DNA sequence: TTAAAAAGTGAGTAATTACTCACTTTTTAA
DNA sequence: TTAAAAAGTGAGTAATTACTCACTTTTTAA
């Protein structure tokens, strides 16, 4: 049996054309899952709000679980990494950049991306926490997708003598903790509409300089 | 109508004596809520595992929601703050401490506390994310309980000239992000059994010194 | 020792939920 | 234009769930 991720990517490829009602279902599901969680959202409620019959949901998605996967997996498997790849390419070049400039570009890009995809980001975080089988699939994938790139960046700037001598692994771990905590707390726990440039600058300062005088 | 928190504290005071079966119900609920979330746990399942009749749960707790509150509110309202107050008292004195020593003592104390109360901590994080009315009650309470104390500590060490000149508010915000991200990621997202002293040291180093050379 | 109070039981209930399927409507392609 | 395919419907179903309540058992207190 291949993984959830692989299955759903296959399925996504086969169904490239979506009817208007399918789109409406997905949009509504995203909204409700983000707001109250998957487990507290009924297919009946989704159908009513999307102005479709409940049977239509099952016609297209088979099960409620598959609807959830249809909502978050394209995001996780494709949008998230593609955009991340882009920003690494643009920011990690030979010219002129310092690590904090890299970090600034990276954080602002991720900030913008999550701001636009706030609802799906919320669904993802909630369900990663609430559904163990999702967690076991998605967390490793996210880690494997982000970690090597960020690590490469860290090593790049360490070689340029910009960063301290502590091991790259250790830096990476703490950086991921901070970045993950930053976006999750603002967008999910505190439900903020957006994150200001100023807040990003403060966080960069914290990460680069620490608290000690 | 008084807040959820106040209601439940009143209720907790009235029912000081718990039968063995009540204890069993609460323990089982904690385990299952931590593992699969409140919404994915049925009262029937709790009853079976606790080896009580389902009616017994309702005899003592009235509703499933009240059972959840009975599980987490004592923890949130009493254990968590009492222990935190203790560590602030012990560590914030006139003699001999640096900010990183304060931080070390604080983090280790919290680490030990959450290690011992891991299941309830998990329940709390999951339900704060999943149930909006809980989030609206508990997050402000947690913030109001921790923030002034931590802020006081930050200001204390700023006056002693140990910390940089950035505003205490900014420090506090980033510190809370890092600390919250640290414990939530390790205990809840990654489901780690414990956090080593070494990992705490690395995090302190990160927070105190930053990444810049 | 015994009656009253408290604790506990488990069958049953109303409500809810994910899902099915016979049928209808809309779209497609020849 | 028309038959076939695709999309959509909504009543119904089996399963599940939180909860009730008449009854039984255990504990308490006089």
């Amino acid at each position: 049996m291949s993984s959830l991720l692989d299955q759903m990517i296959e399925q996504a490829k086969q169904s490239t054309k979506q009817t208007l009602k399918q789109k409406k279902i997905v949009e509504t599901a995203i909204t409700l899952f983000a707001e109250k969680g998957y487990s507290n959202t009924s297919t009946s409620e989704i159908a009513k709000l999307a102005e479709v019959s409940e049977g239509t949901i099952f016609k297209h998605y088979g099960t409620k679980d598959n609807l959830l996967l249809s909502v978050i997996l394209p995001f996780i498997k494709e949008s998230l990494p593609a955009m991340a790849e882009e920003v690494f390419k643009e920011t990690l070049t030979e010219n002129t950049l310092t690590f904090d400039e890299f970090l600034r570009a990276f954080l602002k890009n991720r900030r913008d991306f999550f701001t636009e995809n706030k609802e799906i980001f919320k669904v993802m975080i909630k369900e990663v926490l609430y559904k163990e089988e999702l967690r076991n699939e998605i967390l490793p994938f996210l880690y494997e997708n982000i970690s090597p790139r960020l690590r490469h960046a860290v090593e790049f700037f360490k070689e340029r003598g910009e960063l301290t001598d502590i091991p790259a692994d250790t830096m990476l771990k703490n950086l991921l903790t901070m970045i993950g905590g930053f976006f999750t707390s603002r967008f999910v726990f505190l439900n903020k509409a957006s994150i200001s440039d100023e807040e990003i600058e403060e966080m960069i300062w914290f990460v680069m300089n620490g608290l000690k005088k």
Side-chain angles (χ1 to χ4, degrees), chain A residues 40 44 49 52 55 83 102 108 122 126 190:
Chain A
N40 292 332
S44 158
L49 223 68
V52 302
M83 291 294 292
F102 160 73
K108 284 184 178 177
K122 277 188 189 176
K126 287 189 193 216
L190 299 177

Side-chain angles (χ1 to χ4, degrees), chain A residues 23-210:
Chain A
K23 282 173 189 157
K24 201 76 181 287
I25 289 167
V26 169
E27 283 166 16
T28 307
I30 290 172
T31 301
L32 290 175
F33 291 160
E35 180 190 323
K36 6 177 356 172
Y38 167 83
S39 294
N40 292 332
T41 303
S42 66
T43 51
S44 158
E45 192 177 4
I46 296 168
K48 277 206 196 75
L49 223 68
E51 293 175 308
V52 302
S53 138
E54 206 172 344
T56 304
I57 296 176
F58 292 99
K59 172 134 175 66
H60 291 292
Y61 301 102
T63 64
K64 189 185 172 188
D65 252 9
N66 270 349
L67 174 60
L68 174 65
L69 294 180
S70 298
V71 162
I72 61 175
L73 287 188
F75 174 72
I76 287 165
K77 185 72 175 182
E78 295 176 11
S79 313
L80 200 55
M83 291 294 292
E85 174 115 20
E86 196 73 24
V87 72
F88 276 113
K89 272 191 191 147
E90 285 174 14
T91 55
L92 246 202
T93 63
E94 297 287 353
N95 13 326
T96 72
L97 282 177
T98 60
F99 185 66
D100 49 327
E101 279 174 19
F102 160 73
L103 208 44
R104 182 172 298 111
F106 178 69
L107 289 175
K108 284 184 178 177
N109 174 281
R110 295 297 77 194
R111 182 271 314 267
D112 292 341
F113 181 71
F114 291 137
T115 304
E116 273 171 44
N117 296 276
K118 198 182 311 161
E119 304 300 306
I120 309 194
F121 182 63
K122 277 188 189 176
V123 176
M124 186 183 82
I125 298 293
K126 287 189 193 216
E127 302 314 320
V128 158
L129 264 194
Y130 229 70
K131 293 175 78 73
E132 189 174 0
E133 55 319 335
L134 265 201
R135 181 159 70 250
N136 293 340
E137 283 262 3
I138 292 175
L139 277 191
F141 179 81
L142 289 182
Y143 183 75
E144 276 149 33
N145 202 275
I146 297 169
S147 185
R149 294 206 182 95
L150 205 50
R151 183 201 184 84
H152 179 56
V154 164
E155 279 168 349
F156 182 79
F157 288 103
K158 271 173 80 75
E159 268 176 41
R160 283 171 58 163
E162 291 195 29
L163 305 180
T164 66
D165 292 334
I166 59 175
D169 277 344
T170 306
M171 281 188 183
L172 192 59
K173 205 190 298 184
N174 282 292
L175 207 39
L176 284 172
T177 302
M178 189 68 197
I179 293 170
F182 186 67
F183 288 123
T184 301
S185 62
R186 278 20 169 223
F187 284 132
V188 186
F189 279 106
L190 299 177
N191 200 19
K192 295 188 68 162
S194 63
I195 299 176
S196 65
D197 285 357
E198 190 188 4
E199 200 166 4
I200 290 182
E201 289 301 323
E202 286 167 0
M203 186 250 208
I204 291 171
W205 209 94
F206 177 82
V207 164
M208 296 309 296
N209 299 287

